[in-house]
Each structure stands twice: as structure tokens, then as C-alpha cells.
Amino acid sequence: MCVPYVTSSLQEMKIIAGPLALLSLAMRQGVTVAGQAEAIDRICTWLDGWRQPGPEGPWWPGWISLRELRDGQPSQPGPGRPSWCYGTPGLARALQLAAIARHDRARQAAAENALAQCISDPAQITQLSDPGLCHGWAGTVTAAWHAALDATSSHLHNALDPLVCSLAGSARGDHPYGLMRGIAGAALALHAITAQIPGTWPGCLLIT
């Protein structure tokens, strides 16, 4: 397994968070191959290097340019939209899954704390503007809810209720009907949480 440090002119963090989540989910199910554990550890170390401190908790840049890669420092001044696709929720969930697979309690706690601080920060949350799964409320809430189910503390559970209300509110009105960017994804997320039935559909997002 190789880590695609540079795949194009931009190295997107989500590109590597997806493989990390897949490798970790497979390991949790007992599906392993040679080098898998080393690949998980290597990706986690790389993401550790790009974690940025902030007054409201750590965050990761959504992408890294070749110049930023060479400099070892992102130009992004602060946390962006807290979406599943390019934001802290998706990255933190992938790191939490990796920590669980590797039995790393310290890393798991750090990932859960980063996610809890992110979704509790009004400055980040108000950047969400649509109900969709990809970069809207549904993706953020779904990542956080599944992370809370695996969490070792109550921090994530305590931060979830306001997010679910915001998701329900954002789903009102006219929206596209699609899964990733439309009302279908929001409806799935709301049904799973209100019925307390995780389901298997978040597997297509590598959330569970």
C-alpha cells in the first residue's frame, strides 16, 4: 500500500482520509493484508504533521498545494467549512477509525476531541449552508453521530443535539433530490438518528 502524497497539482486531504478509513474499517472486520497496519500508521503520521492548532480546537486544511507540501505549512489561515468531504468531521472520523483499529486510545481521544470542538464552534458550523451529505449538514451530522457511537466519552453526544436540529431546519424548502447534495441524504441521516438505526448506507461514505 502506498500513500499518495502527491497525485496532482493539489494534494487533497480527503484523498488520503478515504483510504485511511477503508483500511481501518477493513481491519476492524478482521480483513487484513501485509503492510496494512504500517500504511494506517503512516497515513496517521502524515495527517498529524498537517494538524493545525486553533483557539477552538485543532483543524486540518482541506487541501495542500505542491508549494505548501514543500514548505511544510498550509496557507489556509484557519478552519474551513466543517464538512464531511473536506473538513475536520471527515478527517477526524477517519482518524478515530484508525485509532480504534490500531487500539490507540490516545489517538482516538484526540480525534474525538477535535471533532467535538469543531461541531461546537459557531464560527465553523455557520459555514454550513445546505442539507446535503457531501458538504452540508447531513454529512457533518452523520460523521459526528457515528463517531459518537464509538466514542469513549460523552463530549460528542453532548454536542450533537443542536446539530440535528440545524439539519432538520436546513432540510425545509426547495432542494435537489439527490443523495450526496440533496434532500435524500438529509432524510437518510435524520431517519437514522431519530430512529436510532445506524443502517449500512453510510458505508458508501466510509463513515462506518
Side-chain angles (χ1 to χ4, degrees):
M1 299 254 182
C2 65
V3 179
Y5 284 126
V6 179
T7 57
S8 65
S9 60
L10 291 180
Q11 168 61 45
E12 297 178 351
M13 287 291 190
K14 194 60 187 177
I15 289 175
I16 202 56
L20 176 62
L22 178 62
L23 291 169
S24 303
L25 287 165
M27 181 170 283
R28 289 186 72 182
Q29 296 296 319
V31 180
T32 59
V33 296
Q36 184 171 343
E38 291 79 5
I40 291 172
D41 294 343
R42 185 181 176 192
I43 297 170
C44 286
T45 299
W46 193 74
L47 289 173
D48 287 346
W50 288 99
R51 183 179 60 234
Q52 305 298 306
E56 302 302 330
W59 57 276
W60 290 262
W63 56 83
I64 299 296
S65 70
L66 290 176
R67 175 176 292 180
E68 291 167 333
L69 186 65
R70 287 193 292 265
D71 293 343
Q73 181 67 35
S75 59
Q76 184 176 325
R81 182 174 54 195
S83 58
W84 161 80
C85 56
Y86 291 105
T88 293
L91 284 159
R93 174 57 172 165
L95 286 165
Q96 182 200 35
L97 290 170
I100 293 170
R102 297 290 287 140
H103 307 288
D104 187 337
R105 297 296 295 271
R107 183 179 296 282
Q108 182 178 350
E112 292 165 4
N113 287 334
L115 179 50
Q117 289 174 291
C118 169
I119 63 175
S120 300
D121 179 16
Q124 294 184 64
I125 289 299
T126 53
Q127 295 183 58
L128 296 171
S129 59
D130 69 77
L133 280 171
C134 185
H135 48 256
W137 285 102
T140 299
V141 172
T142 299
W145 186 59
H146 282 277
L149 294 178
D150 287 329
T152 57
S153 72
S154 60
H155 293 157
L156 280 171
H157 288 282
N158 296 338
L160 267 173
D161 284 347
L163 262 66
V164 175
C165 292
S166 296
L167 169 59
S170 73
R172 300 188 180 99
D174 294 329
H175 298 286
Y177 292 106
L179 172 67
M180 293 303 295
R181 298 191 176 184
I183 203 67
L188 278 172
L190 284 169
H191 176 265
I193 294 169
T194 56
Q196 293 293 296
I197 301 174
T200 58
W201 66 266
C204 72
L205 307 179
L206 297 176
I207 288 175
T208 187

